[in-house]
Amino acid sequence: MSKRLDTDDRRRYFIVGSVILEIVTPVFRQRLEKDYKSKGLGCLQDFINSKPVIHILFHLRHTNIKCCVDTTNCRNRRKLPLNYSQWDLLYTENPGPPKHHCHCLYTTNNVKLDDLDITLASLILLNCCNLTSNEETLIKELREFKNNYLSHNTKGAITEKEYQTLWNDLMTRVLQLDPSKQDDFIRIQNRPLDDSLCNKYFVCLLDIHKKLEEISDKLSSTADILTAMNINNDQSNVELFTKLEVGTNTEHIFMCCHQLNQ
């Protein structure tokens, strides 16, 4: 009975994770594409290379800095929502004068929409795009939904009771953002558990960046990292162990998740 319950809990996790990765993330990317094309820009790289956008994103990662240009729009934030891996995915620093630190030193990498996960896509949408108040609310709620149920879910399981309370809310928010996704919900809700795909989704959905930034300076081995993450799913442990053994820096893990999500 316990094994059956574990399998059912894992399948529910798989269904919810599939919605986030297969429906919500593409919807966010499409909304971002719509925004930059409405501004006459042909691709994501052109958009994040535009001066207003790079300046905004620069101050989402760096604090206590006055840029040498456009100083009136510099912002000193107490919290920095853009992590190092996300920033490094988007931009590369060029050589400059000593002690000079400004967004003018950075150039855009060859970034495509498919490189953006739900967290990074939502950050760009909420800070750099023209959204309606309803869109802004829904994007924030869906990002929060992912954080609440998946980002820190080290068991890779969702109980029936929790599933019953979250499913309608998730479906309602997504369909308000994009009503065309009704059939996708039905397809995903009826799918059987795919253990291999579930393991890959688990790696993508877990907030590995934050975990690694919290513990990487204190721990010396991959086994220590997995123990500190308190991940109890043996199969997913194998997925994470493989990725961490290749390289335990957050940038590498970030790129692995993008590859799994494509």
Side-chain angles (χ1 to χ4, degrees):
M1 184 68 174
S2 176
K3 185 175 181 180
R4 171 61 186 275
L5 287 175
D6 288 345
T7 300
D8 289 344
D9 289 351
R10 184 164 164 79
R11 179 177 175 271
R12 283 185 282 267
Y13 172 91
F14 178 52
I15 290 171
V16 175
S18 296
V19 170
I20 294 298
L21 291 174
E22 297 179 23
I23 299 180
V24 178
T25 302
V27 166
F28 281 15
R29 291 169 180 164
Q30 290 162 9
R31 183 61 186 86
L32 177 54
E33 182 179 33
K34 178 182 176 182
D35 185 87
Y36 67 67
K37 285 190 172 180
S38 72
K39 297 170 181 173
L41 299 170
C43 64
L44 176 66
Q45 187 175 4
D46 291 340
F47 177 67
I48 62 174
N49 195 45
S50 62
K51 286 182 170 56
V53 172
I54 191 172
H55 195 186
I56 290 169
L57 295 178
F58 178 82
H59 287 292
L60 293 180
R61 177 58 259 164
H62 305 91
T63 190
N64 295 324
I65 294 172
K66 273 287 186 180
C67 295
C68 65
V69 292
D70 195 22
T71 56
T72 57
N73 287 316
C74 289
R75 298 289 182 269
N76 191 27
R77 301 173 184 270
R78 294 180 61 187
K79 293 185 177 181
L80 300 175
L82 201 64
N83 66 42
Y84 288 113
S85 298
Q86 292 167 331
W87 175 256
D88 290 342
L89 175 72
L90 299 176
Y91 299 105
T92 297
E93 185 175 7
N94 299 310
K99 298 183 179 180
H100 183 72
H101 193 34
C102 172
H103 70 276
C104 69
L105 295 179
Y106 291 86
T107 54
T108 308
N109 297 325
N110 184 22
V111 185
K112 297 178 174 58
L113 281 169
D114 286 346
D115 295 325
L116 306 183
D117 66 1
I118 181 175
T119 304
L120 185 51
S122 65
L123 275 172
I124 297 173
L125 280 167
L126 292 169
N127 290 280
C128 306
C129 297
N130 298 321
L131 305 173
T132 66
S133 59
N134 187 51
E135 285 177 324
E136 184 175 337
T137 298
L138 290 170
I139 289 169
K140 286 180 179 178
E141 289 177 346
L142 287 168
R143 183 179 65 180
E144 188 68 20
F145 185 97
K146 187 258 186 185
N147 290 338
N148 288 340
Y149 294 105
L150 301 170
S151 294
H152 312 288
N153 187 337
T154 56
K155 294 181 179 179
I158 292 177
T159 65
E160 182 177 8
K161 185 179 294 185
E162 191 168 48
Y163 182 82
Q164 293 299 331
T165 62
L166 67 83
W167 181 255
N168 285 337
D169 286 344
L170 175 60
M171 186 165 59
T172 298
R173 286 172 172 80
V174 174
L175 294 180
Q176 284 179 346
L177 200 58
D178 188 340
S180 71
K181 300 302 180 182
Q182 180 74 55
D183 289 344
D184 291 325
F185 266 95
I186 296 172
R187 171 180 57 81
I188 288 175
Q189 193 172 23
N190 292 329
R191 67 169 37 162
L193 174 63
D194 181 329
D195 278 315
S196 177
L197 188 58
C198 186
N199 291 334
K200 291 179 180 180
Y201 282 4
F202 175 82
V203 174
C204 291
L205 292 164
L206 192 66
D207 193 351
I208 299 175
H209 321 297
K210 184 175 181 180
K211 289 286 186 182
L212 285 179
E213 287 179 1
E214 288 173 354
I215 65 180
S216 60
D217 291 337
K218 302 175 184 177
L219 304 174
S220 58
S221 71
T222 301
D224 287 341
I225 291 173
L226 292 174
T227 300
M229 285 184 176
N230 191 30
I231 295 170
N232 301 316
N233 184 294
D234 290 339
Q235 291 177 310
S236 296
N237 245 349
V238 172
E239 288 280 344
L240 282 168
F241 193 91
T242 301
K243 304 306 173 187
L244 289 167
E245 280 294 284
V246 176
T248 55
N249 60 80
T250 55
E251 181 179 0
H252 179 82
I253 300 299
F254 192 60
M255 295 305 298
C256 286
C257 287
H258 291 317
Q259 293 166 7
L260 290 169
N261 195 23
Q262 292 178 20

